[in-house]
Structure formats: C-alpha cells, structure tokens
Amino acid sequence: MEEDDIYTKDGTVDYKGNPANKKKTGTWKACPYIIGNEGCERLAYYGMSTNLVLYFKHQLNQQSATATKNNQNWGGTCYITPLIGAFLADSYLGRYWTIACFSIIYIFGMTLLALSASVHGMRPRCYAKDNCDPTETQSAMTFLALYLIALGTGGIKPCVSSYGADQFDDADEKEKKHKSSFFNWFYFSINIGALIASSVLVWIQTNKSWGWGFGIPAIAMAIAVCFFFSGTRLYRNQIPGGSPITRLCQVLVASISKYDVAVPDDSALLYETADAESNIKGSRKIEHSRNLRFFDKAAVETQTDRLKGSVNPWSLCTVTQVEELKAIIRLLPIWASGIIFSTVYSQMGNLFTLQGERMDTRVGHSNFNIPPASLSIFDTLSVIFWVPVYDRIIVPMARRFTGHKNGLTQLQRMGIGLFISIFSMVAAAILEQERLKIVKQHNYYYVKEMPLTIFWQVPQYFLIGCAEVFTFIGQLEFFYEQAPDAMRSFCSALSLTTVALGSYLSSLLVTIVTSVTTKHGKLGWIPDNLNFGHVDHFFWLLAALSVANFVVFLGISKWYTYKTAVGTISVHQK
C-alpha cells in the first residue's frame, strides 16, 4: 500500500487518495492472468468432460441411457456447487482466496481421475478396446474423483468472471466501457481451451489412452493455478460483505413482522444510513425502486425499532438491504428462462455424441476417424468466430441504431441467443429423421457406422455456438451488472445453476421419455442402438420447449426493471 491511500471505514482503500497507485493495478494489466487462468482451467475441464459419456459407456460398461444420465447428473452438480463457493467468497474469504483454495481441491480430483484411468489395479480391466469389466471399487474411485472436481470447480466458476470484472472501476467511465468487452474476451478464452480439449484431447482419449487423456487436463489445471498466482500483485480485491443469506433473511423477517405497517409514498422517509457509503462492506448504496413495495416495510422506522438505542437489523433494514432482496427477486424469472437453453446446450455432450457415433466418422476417404465428441469443436469454432464479430462489428452497428453504449441491452442479447437455439434443435431433429430414413431403406440397423458423414452435424453445433455468444455471455454480464455489489459471486453462481438445472431437466426428460416409450416391450426413443430409436422425437420436444421458453422470456423482459447504484465502491490491492 502507498502511504497516501485513504482507508475507508470498512478497511478498504480508496484510490482517489493516490491516482498513481490506482494505475498500477486492475484493468487490462491484471486481466491477462485471469483470462489465462480461465483458458487453462476450461481446457482441463472440457478435456476431461467432453468425452466422458463414452468413458462411462465403454470403460465403465454402462448402458447408453445410464451413461447419459450419470454424465448429466455430474455435469449438473458442477454447476450447483458454485453456490457454495459464491457464499464463501461474498461472505468471508473474498474472491481471490476462494479461487485459490478451491483450485487445490480441483487439482486433487483431476490427479485422482488420471490415476484411476492409468494405474494398474485402479483402472478397469479391458478385454478389448471397448469391452471392459470395472469393479465397484474402480467405478467408485472414478466418481469420487469426478465429484471432487465438481467441488473444486464450484469455487472457481462463480468467482473468476466476477473477479475479472472487479478489475474495472464502475466509477471510472473509461474503465467501465471496457468491462463489457472483458466478458466477450473472457468467454473467448474459455473456447480456446475447449477447442484444444475437443480436438487434441478427445483424439488422445479415443486413439491412445484414457490415462494420458485425463493426465494432460490435470497438468493444464496446474498451469491454470500458476497463471492465477502470477498476477497477485496486480489484482484489485473487494472486501467480503458478510453473509448475503443473513441480510436477505433479515429483510424477509422485518417486512413480515411489519405486515400491517403502511409504506410512505416519499421514499426519503425510509431508513438508510446517513454516510455516503452503504453499511454493507464492499457495496454501494442502491437507489430505491417502486416495485415489490411489500418489502419496503422492512425499511419503515417505527417507535419500537430504537428502544434499546442501536438498530436491530432483524426489525429495521436499510433501503440498500431491501433493494438487494428486490434485485434477487427480479433476477429469478430471467434466471429461470436460462434452464431450457441449458437443456439444449447439454445435448452436445450427450445425444449429439451418441448420434454421431452411429454416423460415418471418416474424414473424406482417408482412414482417419474423427471421434464423435470432437464435433463439439465446431461449437467452439463458432464461438471463436462470433465473439470478435459481435465485439467489433455487431456492437458498433447496433449502437448507431439503438444509441445504447453496448449496442444491445443484455436482455436483448440473451433473447437473440434463445431464438437461435431453437434452430439448433430443429437442425438436429431433421438430420436424425434423414439418418433413420437411410437406415430403414438400406437395412443398416446393425451397422455400427452407417454411410452418412458425421459432418452433417456441423450446423447444429455451429448454431449452438452462435446462441452461446448471445445468451451465455449476455448472462455473465447481466448477472454481474444487476447483482448487488456484495452479492456478485452469489449471482454469478445463480446464473450457473441454470446449466445444472438444464442438465438435470435433460436427465429427467430422458428418464420420463424412456419410461413412457419403452412400455409393452418397445425399444423406446433412446435405445442402446439408436438405429432402432427415435432421438429425432426428443429433439423436436426440445425445440417445442425452446419456442415456449422464448415467448415467456419476451414477456419477462418487458417487465424487468434495471438496478440503479449510487456512489462508488472501494477496492484494495492484494
């Protein structure tokens, strides 16, 4: 710290006391380390998870439906555990130490997974390439490693994007303008990692060994941790604001206990601290909003609120505290609309892979076969193509028409992505219909790879990649910007739970569809041999759900009220 920095009452440092010191930290000077960390971590994650459904099926000897459900349940858990990491980051540890601590758990899980696939006695015994007989202990070790990874990623996912955005000062218009661009390039780095994973690592897993296929991601994760710690001296860190759950519960209790108290029309009469800063560490004051007025009762001061001198936070809350709860409630309908999109997105690692496994995987007329899971490379290439197009072309063009600083509002951006995702399911359904026609016409039912090139899957992957750039990046920015300052990790985790619930919903739909369509001895829509099934019906079902979801989203977007923050937020240097 510099001697002329001004310490605020909550222990943070206000750089207005020393503008020269502010220039030494944050902004794009710190972000390369965060983006590099994320790129390597995503390489590790996707390198291990992209082909996981086939590892379950061929190495752990699971049926197609079971492998799909196990993969989706594990993937869903990876997006539920961020709630744990977010709570610790916002409440006690801060984002820096949460990322650091959970990264160690992550590395332990990755190492154990690599050992379970490579060390004699720990790996399943295989009699042929895809004919293995794992013991219960070996299967249990695999799942222990996977769920350690799920816990480790829970401390990184909700914090790292918010931590990168923290490096840009909202009170500085020049810095704030770069924040939206940061989210674009942050997601770009994710897909660089995914590109290497879905091409090189999937090929190694399919053609060389699962030991190396899981070992390289473990090494990548170690590199990610090194990237993160290398930038320590350049980071700006916000002080954790205490338990957000406690604050939200205080507002609920106070408003319910004052259910019969009238809310004044003049919001200036509601209780708020007299200081320029909020009484919540790491948070600016939030301007009062006119909706959800029932919760304003918690900020109405009564005669009994100060009987013992000091204010009881369970009976009287500040306007900022009330607005925190309102902000979360307003986010929930937008959050819910992301679940169907995530269900569509999850098909890349499941039914798209199983569909591709039954198609001709040769590249041209060569003897080189592309692993079905590697087709997700076209989703990644789509994202890599669309991110700079959006950032450098679409945003400036849209800005001319809308006058909005980011070209499109975050909700408009997300809506476009939801609309595009419908067509990815339509493309997948049409392809499967045509594939099954060829199977029926030429009696290819028992042919492992029927003569229809796997590259016909490219459009459905490319469309999902395009939809990601609009919806997922829009979500990242939306949940960061609209979150209360002291709850940004929590809200980032909340947005990630849509991926979890999308995976769980997909698993539930597979279970229901399998149960209904296999009655009376029928093979159902998703049998082990998809040539006898009707996966196209499942894709049409998801397309219909996506249309309904898009219509509901349009209604929700018109209702939404954006948050307005007041004042500045203090940061301190590591």
Side-chain angles (χ1 to χ4, degrees):
M1 297 293 180
E2 301 293 330
E3 291 184 1
D4 52 349
D5 288 335
I6 299 175
Y7 286 79
T8 62
K9 64 178 183 179
D10 61 7
T12 60
V13 176
D14 188 341
Y15 283 107
K16 291 178 182 177
N18 187 1
N21 194 39
K22 177 182 177 181
K23 293 179 181 179
K24 297 176 184 177
T25 62
T27 66
W28 287 110
K29 292 186 292 294
C31 285
Y33 297 97
I34 296 171
I35 289 174
N37 165 266
E38 180 66 4
C40 290
E41 187 272 330
R42 290 291 87 186
L43 188 157
Y45 179 82
Y46 287 119
M48 172 269 304
S49 64
T50 301
N51 215 17
L52 196 57
V53 69
L54 296 184
Y55 185 79
F56 288 159
K57 183 176 179 180
H58 299 309
Q59 301 297 304
L60 298 188
N61 198 24
Q62 296 179 352
Q63 295 180 337
S64 293
T66 303
T68 298
K69 285 188 287 185
N70 282 336
N71 190 36
Q72 289 173 330
N73 289 339
W74 172 79
T77 303
C78 287
Y79 288 89
I80 287 290
T81 53
L83 291 172
I84 300 171
F87 175 78
L88 292 173
D90 283 338
S91 304
Y92 307 111
L93 298 179
R95 285 187 262 279
Y96 177 87
W97 284 110
T98 301
I99 294 170
C101 294
F102 279 77
S103 293
I104 306 303
I105 299 172
Y106 203 138
I107 290 176
F108 274 123
M110 294 293 294
T111 303
L112 181 59
L113 182 64
L115 292 175
S116 72
S118 57
V119 176
H120 179 72
M122 295 176 70
R123 69 174 184 263
R125 178 184 295 177
C126 295
Y127 305 102
K129 183 180 179 183
D130 293 332
N131 181 18
C132 300
D133 183 24
T135 65
E136 288 186 7
T137 302
Q138 289 167 342
S139 295
M141 192 172 298
T142 299
F143 281 99
L144 173 62
L146 288 172
Y147 280 91
L148 277 175
I149 293 168
L151 178 60
T153 195
I156 298 173
K157 283 180 187 291
C159 298
V160 69
S161 62
S162 297
Y163 194 53
D166 286 346
Q167 308 310 310
F168 300 93
D169 187 354
D170 279 336
D172 187 321
E173 285 301 321
K174 187 176 179 181
E175 289 190 16
K176 189 175 181 180
K177 191 165 63 174
H178 291 293
K179 187 179 291 186
S180 180
S181 187
F182 163 77
F183 284 110
N184 289 329
W185 294 106
F186 175 84
Y187 204 77
F188 183 86
S189 75
I190 291 175
N191 284 273
I192 292 294
L195 176 65
I196 299 170
S198 59
S199 54
V200 178
L201 292 180
V202 168
W203 184 86
I204 290 172
Q205 290 163 359
T206 305
N207 296 283
K208 296 299 180 182
S209 76
W210 287 99
W212 278 109
F214 288 154
I216 294 172
I219 295 170
M221 187 59 212
I223 295 172
V225 174
C226 293
F227 255 116
F228 180 73
F229 284 119
S230 296
T232 296
R233 294 178 61 83
L234 297 173
Y235 298 144
R236 296 175 184 173
N237 299 277
Q238 292 184 13
I239 290 290
S243 172
I245 295 175
T246 300
R247 294 198 303 275
L248 297 180
C249 288
Q250 286 171 342
V251 176
L252 286 171
V253 170
S255 56
I256 292 171
S257 65
K258 295 179 179 178
Y259 70 93
D260 56 347
V261 173
V263 177
D265 292 330
D266 186 358
S267 61
L269 298 177
L270 298 175
Y271 175 67
E272 182 59 277
T273 56
D275 298 331
E277 295 182 2
S278 164
N279 65 341
I280 302 168
K281 290 181 181 180
S283 178
R284 295 167 292 181
K285 287 183 176 179
I286 305 176
E287 192 173 282
H288 177 260
S289 61
R290 302 294 296 178
N291 54 13
L292 301 170
R293 285 177 59 82
F294 174 81
F295 298 107
D296 289 340
K297 295 175 184 289
V300 176
E301 190 168 355
T302 63
Q303 293 180 345
T304 59
D305 286 331
R306 293 182 183 267
L307 287 180
K308 297 181 181 180
S310 61
V311 173
N312 179 2
W314 290 93
S315 64
L316 182 62
C317 306
T318 64
V319 169
T320 295
Q321 199 173 335
V322 171
E323 290 300 322
E324 279 191 328
L325 177 61
K326 287 185 181 181
I328 298 300
I329 293 173
R330 285 195 294 265
L331 285 174
L332 290 178
I334 303 295
W335 164 81
S337 68
I339 296 173
I340 297 295
F341 179 82
S342 295
T343 303
V344 168
Y345 176 79
S346 73
Q347 301 315 307
M348 284 195 300
N350 293 288
L351 290 180
F352 282 14
T353 302
L354 295 176
Q355 181 189 45
E357 193 180 27
R358 288 290 169 178
M359 301 175 74
D360 184 359
T361 59
R362 291 177 302 170
V363 178
H365 298 288
S366 68
N367 291 323
F368 180 79
N369 294 76
I370 185 169
S374 286
L375 260 288
S376 63
I377 194 174
F378 290 99
D379 162 73
T380 305
L381 290 171
S382 177
V383 172
I384 291 172
F385 171 77
W386 283 107
V387 164
V389 168
Y390 182 87
D391 196 62
R392 302 301 182 191
I393 299 175
I394 295 177
V395 168
M397 288 179 61
R399 194 180 286 140
R400 295 175 188 172
F401 293 98
T402 64
H404 192 275
K405 62 179 181 179
N406 295 332
L408 300 171
T409 68
Q410 294 142 6
L411 290 176
Q412 287 171 340
R413 183 174 185 172
M414 290 162 63
I416 292 170
L418 293 180
F419 181 71
I420 294 171
S421 71
I422 296 169
F423 296 97
S424 68
M425 287 297 97
V426 171
I430 292 173
L431 173 62
E432 185 63 10
Q433 283 181 339
E434 294 303 312
R435 193 187 74 81
L436 290 176
K437 281 182 185 178
I438 296 172
V439 167
K440 186 176 180 179
Q441 287 171 1
H442 300 280
N443 196 28
Y444 289 141
Y445 290 104
Y446 293 99
V447 176
K448 186 177 180 181
E449 292 189 2
M450 48 89 67
L452 179 66
T453 178
I454 194 173
F455 290 102
W456 280 108
Q457 284 191 310
V458 170
Q460 62 207 53
Y461 280 103
F462 194 82
L463 284 166
I464 285 185
C466 181
E468 275 184 71
V469 170
F470 287 91
T471 297
F472 275 157
I473 302 179
Q475 275 185 346
L476 277 175
E477 186 177 359
F478 178 78
F479 278 87
Y480 181 87
E481 290 291 337
Q482 296 307 305
D485 292 331
M487 296 178 69
R488 279 174 166 165
S489 293
F490 175 79
C491 289
S492 292
L494 190 65
S495 71
L496 291 170
T497 59
T498 62
V499 180
L501 294 176
S503 291
Y504 292 146
L505 177 59
S506 181
S507 179
L508 178 63
L509 289 173
V510 168
T511 301
I512 293 171
V513 163
T514 301
S515 176
V516 172
T517 61
T518 55
K519 288 181 178 179
H520 309 298
K522 294 180 180 179
L523 292 173
W525 289 2
I526 314 173
D528 283 341
N529 185 345
L530 295 190
N531 292 336
F532 290 98
H534 269 292
V535 175
D536 55 322
H537 293 348
F538 191 82
F539 290 144
W540 283 119
L541 173 63
L542 290 180
L545 290 173
S546 297
V547 170
N549 185 56
F550 175 68
V551 172
V552 171
F553 177 83
L554 292 179
I556 293 170
S557 299
K558 290 182 179 180
W559 167 82
Y560 187 79
T561 303
Y562 283 90
K563 179 195 80 173
T564 305
V566 180
T568 62
I569 185 170
S570 298
V571 296
H572 74 285
Q573 184 180 5
K574 195 73 191 169

